[in-house]
Amino acid sequence: MNRYPLWKYLVVLVALVIGILYTLPNFFGESPAVQVAAAKSTVKVDSATLSEVDRVLEQNQLQPTGSFVEHIDTSTTARYRFSNTDDQLRAKDLIEQALNPDAANAEYTVALNLLPASPNWLTKIGALPMHLGLDLRGGVHFLLQVDMDGALSTRYDTLTTELRTVLRQQKLPVEQVERQQNRIYANFNTADERDAALTELRRQMPELSFSATPGQPELTAQLSDTAIAEIEAAAVEQNITTLRNRINELGVSEPVIQRQGADRIVVQLPGVQDVARAKEILGRTASLEIRLVDDSPSAMAALSSGKVPFGVERFYDTSGAPLLLRRQVLLTGENLEKASAGRDTQANVPAVHLQLDSKGARIFRDVTRDNINRRMAIVLYEQGVGTVITAPVIRTEIPNGQVQITGSMNARDAADIALLLRSGSLAAPMEIIEERTIGPSLGAANIEQGFNSTLYGFIAIAIFIIIYYQLFGLFSTLGLSFNILLLIAVLSMLQATLTLPGIAALALTIGMAIDANVLINERIREEMRNGASPQQAIHLGFDRAWATIFDSNLTSLIVGIALLTYGDGPIRGFAVVHCIGILTSMFTSVVGVRAMVNLWYGKRRRLNTIAIGQVWKPQDEQKS
């Protein structure tokens, strides 16, 4: 009656072993580390970089306790763990000097970091500690404001060029097209020419609102309110995406990057020690441009003599070779919808496939039609310096906005270029308007207080329930310990972020889990009062209490899912622990505790009493 089949005992045992293994890493803490990543999208952390770092550390007798190389997409990040902060700081300075001889034009990011100090054998099986939030681990909080005027200014520049293109394509004469602040002015010879242009412009440029003064050959264009709202929303979203890519360079676990209001972005970086480096990376500006290369004999002769002719600028490609580019910017990154690496189906060589938006496709068609057999350069600006990442030759007119770039590149180079084009630029400038630093000591105090409150609550519950329910109280206490162990293990396996609200949810889980055991124990007592034998009382107690336990936990789970779905930030952190805690408590209270009871009492055929505290029977009351 009260015996589990072998497989159920094995399930409980496996859950216990997994709980122990995946909870262990949380007790080893973290070690100081130094992280090396590329500071520019055109620079790679390769084997030569790693060899240089190893050489510097060996020469200065700095022995890391562990090293890790992580590959994300096409970027590589190296992390070196040290036994103390003195070695960490010294190693950072030495690596910085070796990799960035020109501090004003740093090619690598060398940042302080923290890495889990758990043994390698735990790391190999994927047993990693939970991430700690900003309130527990310490770190920095930034509030950034997006320059919406800058986003609109860039858009107006593009629209001015597009308006000229539309008029030229439709062969509509115009004297002058110029932009003044957030307006575009077009002057025509006559009012009839203006009216003809107005009809065509309204059809092809619906995001602009046009106005004209009767009898005057002038046309004024402004962005509509709907278009302005779309541009501002897109600028914030694009900046959030770019910030995520940049923060990967810092190796921050579970950063918080979210929109606040119409034009602000909140960035929280738990565990970041080097605040200056974090600000440098977040504030880094990047933009993408497409220009024509000037390969004329006169330009090349001037370049060889060290001179730059009027109307062109000198740039360098990724190998350091100089190129002369026309000053006119043909396209910017805002016209690019997607970029992916692939192969040229005809030549079977690596290629980069680009998809431009409708406006970019129209401009690109004209450029490629008029400049066949000339080179076109794709320039990436970072930290105010432009680098030509590729300069392919235009072979034919490209009318549909589907661009294919080929050249002297391998498959990895193609993937690198595609990644740069997808995520290399900010849609609008940003500035840090608020900065808060939470020290590690404050985070440690929060952890200690949260741990102590949970521990003292657990001890108080354990003492009460053991006194009140005796041996069954001990089973309930062991089940409660099993529940906490399993909950922490699941959070670690999911690499969830634990915050102060999460600790509050952990304490709540303890109370809810013991409530299930109270229901079971009281149900067993009730069955014994009704005359059931001890074995029958145990069986009926667990079975009949299950419906009540399921109903009460289901209602709590529904609330937790609602918090998880609609909440954000601290509320979401609370909901994650709450929902997982409900599931683990149902398993440990019903399956885990019953397995212990079955092991202790299940094999006893003649069982007269069980240690579940005082059972008040009706006949006892009559005798008294």
Side-chain angles (χ1 to χ4, degrees), residues 168-439:
R168 184 175 66 252
Q169 288 177 344
Q170 300 301 320
K171 298 180 179 179
L172 295 169
V174 61
E175 283 191 351
Q176 185 181 18
V177 176
E178 63 177 356
R179 174 203 160 198
Q180 295 180 8
Q181 296 181 350
N182 288 343
R183 282 184 174 83
I184 302 174
Y185 296 95
N187 293 320
F188 298 86
N189 293 320
T190 63
D192 292 338
E193 291 179 353
R194 181 206 62 196
D195 293 340
L198 179 60
T199 302
E200 189 63 31
L201 290 173
R202 281 178 173 167
R203 185 179 67 84
Q204 295 200 31
M205 304 182 71
E207 62 186 308
L208 288 176
S209 175
F210 295 93
S211 61
T213 303
Q216 298 294 327
E218 185 181 71
L219 191 63
T220 304
Q222 280 183 288
L223 282 167
S224 64
D225 293 339
T226 302
I228 291 175
E230 291 177 353
I231 292 170
E232 292 178 347
V236 174
E237 292 301 321
Q238 174 63 30
N239 282 12
I240 288 176
T241 301
T242 304
L243 285 175
R244 292 188 189 279
N245 295 327
R246 294 181 180 180
I247 288 171
N248 286 338
E249 299 177 6
L250 289 172
V252 179
S253 299
E254 294 295 315
V256 175
I257 308 171
Q258 59 189 20
R259 182 172 181 170
Q260 184 181 88
D263 60 349
R264 293 182 178 183
I265 300 173
V266 173
V267 178
Q268 293 181 355
L269 307 178
V272 169
Q273 295 175 289
D274 197 337
V275 179
R277 180 63 71 183
K279 291 175 67 175
E280 177 184 338
I281 289 179
L282 292 181
R284 202 171 76 196
T285 58
S287 59
L288 188 71
E289 294 181 352
I290 296 180
R291 303 188 184 193
L292 288 175
V293 180
D294 191 345
D295 286 332
S296 63
S298 59
M300 299 305 295
L303 181 62
S304 61
S305 63
K307 299 179 180 179
V308 178
F310 178 77
V312 298
E313 292 181 81
R314 178 164 52 193
F315 289 84
Y316 296 90
D317 61 16
T318 54
S319 64
L323 290 172
L324 292 179
L325 307 185
R326 293 287 182 184
R327 290 184 178 273
Q328 182 184 7
V329 178
L330 304 176
L331 286 172
T332 62
E334 69 173 7
N335 301 112
L336 181 65
E337 287 189 344
K338 61 181 179 179
S340 60
R343 300 191 73 83
D344 182 355
T345 55
Q346 295 181 350
N348 194 29
V349 296
V352 178
H353 302 285
L354 310 179
Q355 178 62 55
L356 302 175
D357 59 16
S358 58
K359 298 167 186 176
R362 189 162 55 246
I363 298 172
F364 202 77
R365 178 192 60 197
D366 296 340
V367 170
T368 53
R369 181 186 60 217
D370 299 336
N371 295 280
I372 292 177
N373 294 327
R374 295 186 62 183
R375 284 203 295 166
M376 177 184 63
I378 298 177
V379 185
L380 186 70
Y381 281 89
E382 289 187 292
Q383 300 179 8
V385 179
T387 303
V388 178
I389 58 176
T390 183
V393 178
I394 301 172
R395 299 298 184 187
T396 184
E397 177 185 340
I398 303 174
N400 54 8
Q402 295 180 352
V403 184
Q404 177 178 282
I405 301 174
T406 58
S408 56
M409 67 176 77
N410 53 35
R412 185 173 180 84
D413 293 335
D416 288 347
I417 293 172
L419 179 63
L420 295 178
L421 297 180
R422 284 197 305 268
S423 58
S425 62
L426 288 171
M430 294 184 300
E431 63 174 336
I432 298 173
I433 61 174
E434 181 183 336
E435 174 188 343
R436 294 201 305 267
T437 302
I438 300 176

Side-chain angles (χ1 to χ4, degrees), residues 155-165 177-180 183-185 205 208:
R155 187 63 186 144
Y156 270 110
D157 286 338
T158 304
L159 289 172
T160 302
T161 302
E162 185 180 350
L163 192 146
R164 292 193 187 101
T165 303
V177 176
E178 63 177 356
R179 174 203 160 198
Q180 295 180 8
R183 282 184 174 83
I184 302 174
Y185 296 95
M205 304 182 71
L208 288 176

Side-chain angles (χ1 to χ4, degrees), residues 13-256:
L13 180 61
V14 169
L16 179 61
V17 172
I18 291 176
I20 293 173
L21 287 177
Y22 283 87
T23 300
L24 273 178
N26 295 283
F27 294 97
F28 287 96
E30 294 176 314
S31 296
V34 175
Q35 175 176 293
V36 179
K40 296 182 178 180
S41 302
T42 53
V43 176
K44 300 178 184 177
V45 176
D46 51 18
S47 57
T49 308
L50 300 178
S51 299
E52 177 66 15
V53 173
D54 293 337
R55 183 189 64 80
V56 170
L57 295 178
E58 184 178 353
Q59 282 184 350
N60 292 274
Q61 299 179 350
L62 287 171
Q63 184 63 38
T65 58
S67 60
F68 310 89
V69 178
E70 182 180 13
H71 301 281
I72 302 176
D73 291 330
T74 58
S75 63
T76 302
T77 301
R79 298 182 178 93
Y80 298 85
R81 190 171 64 190
F82 297 91
S83 57
N84 55 69
T85 55
D86 291 338
D87 289 348
Q88 177 200 31
L89 295 173
R90 185 170 167 231
K92 176 188 179 296
D93 293 338
L94 293 171
I95 296 173
E96 183 88 53
Q97 294 172 5
L99 297 183
N100 296 321
D102 183 5
N105 187 24
E107 295 186 341
Y108 295 92
T109 297
V110 183
L112 301 176
N113 210 329
L114 295 171
L115 289 179
S118 52
N120 291 332
W121 66 271
L122 282 174
T123 305
K124 288 180 180 179
I125 64 173
L128 300 171
M130 286 183 291
H131 300 304
L132 298 180
L134 193 68
D135 49 1
L136 297 181
R137 196 181 183 193
V140 291
H141 167 102
F142 294 114
L143 180 62
L144 299 99
Q145 186 164 22
V146 180
D147 182 7
M148 293 304 183
D149 291 337
L152 292 176
S153 177
T154 302
R155 187 63 186 144
Y156 270 110
D157 286 338
T158 304
L159 289 172
T160 302
T161 302
E162 185 180 350
L163 192 146
R164 292 193 187 101
T165 303
V166 171
L167 294 176
R168 184 175 66 252
Q169 288 177 344
Q170 300 301 320
K171 298 180 179 179
L172 295 169
V174 61
E175 283 191 351
Q176 185 181 18
V177 176
E178 63 177 356
R179 174 203 160 198
Q180 295 180 8
Q181 296 181 350
N182 288 343
R183 282 184 174 83
I184 302 174
Y185 296 95
N187 293 320
F188 298 86
N189 293 320
T190 63
D192 292 338
E193 291 179 353
R194 181 206 62 196
D195 293 340
L198 179 60
T199 302
E200 189 63 31
L201 290 173
R202 281 178 173 167
R203 185 179 67 84
Q204 295 200 31
M205 304 182 71
E207 62 186 308
L208 288 176
S209 175
F210 295 93
S211 61
T213 303
Q216 298 294 327
E218 185 181 71
L219 191 63
T220 304
Q222 280 183 288
L223 282 167
S224 64
D225 293 339
T226 302
I228 291 175
E230 291 177 353
I231 292 170
E232 292 178 347
V236 174
E237 292 301 321
Q238 174 63 30
N239 282 12
I240 288 176
T241 301
T242 304
L243 285 175
R244 292 188 189 279
N245 295 327
R246 294 181 180 180
I247 288 171
N248 286 338
E249 299 177 6
L250 289 172
V252 179
S253 299
E254 294 295 315
V256 175

